Amino acid sequence: LANVVNGFAKLNHRHDELFEEIAKTAISIMDEFKPQELANTANAYARMSHSHPMLFEAMAESEFLEIAWQRVA
């Protein structure tokens, strides 16, 4: 999923329906994302200015970010 949205973003090809469906799926499997996939997905949505608050909330609550914040603290 991360590679798909990242590819669309790199090509600057807007496909709102696809981004919406990928966001729904990504939310349900967020715990399976590797840190790079999480970063690529966030970057793709940001580059395309595609807002999806539930996706960003799931990213913010992901296990990887919790671990990263613990290391910073």
Side-chain angles (χ1 to χ4, degrees), residues 18 26-28 59:
L18 177 68
I27 290 167
S28 69
M59 289 178 178

Side-chain angles (χ1 to χ4, degrees), residues 2 29-41 64:
I29 61 168
M30 187 64 59
D31 290 339
E32 298 177 27
F33 275 40
K34 296 173 185 163
Q36 188 64 54
E37 294 167 335
L38 186 68
N40 288 349
T41 302
F64 292 114

Side-chain angles (χ1 to χ4, degrees), residues 14-50:
R14 190 162 194 89
H15 195 299
D16 291 335
E17 289 179 26
L18 177 68
F19 271 56
E20 284 297 315
E21 291 303 315
I22 287 178
K24 290 176 191 175
T25 303
I27 290 167
S28 69
I29 61 168
M30 187 64 59
D31 290 339
E32 298 177 27
F33 275 40
K34 296 173 185 163
Q36 188 64 54
E37 294 167 335
L38 186 68
N40 288 349
T41 302
N43 182 55
Y45 277 78
R47 286 176 67 179
M48 297 305 295
S49 298
H50 189 98

Side-chain angles (χ1 to χ4, degrees), residues 1-11 13 18-19 22 40-41 44-45:
L1 292 177
N3 289 337
V4 172
V5 292
N6 198 36
F8 272 76
K10 282 185 176 185
L11 294 171
H13 183 79
L18 177 68
F19 271 56
I22 287 178
N40 288 349
T41 302
Y45 277 78

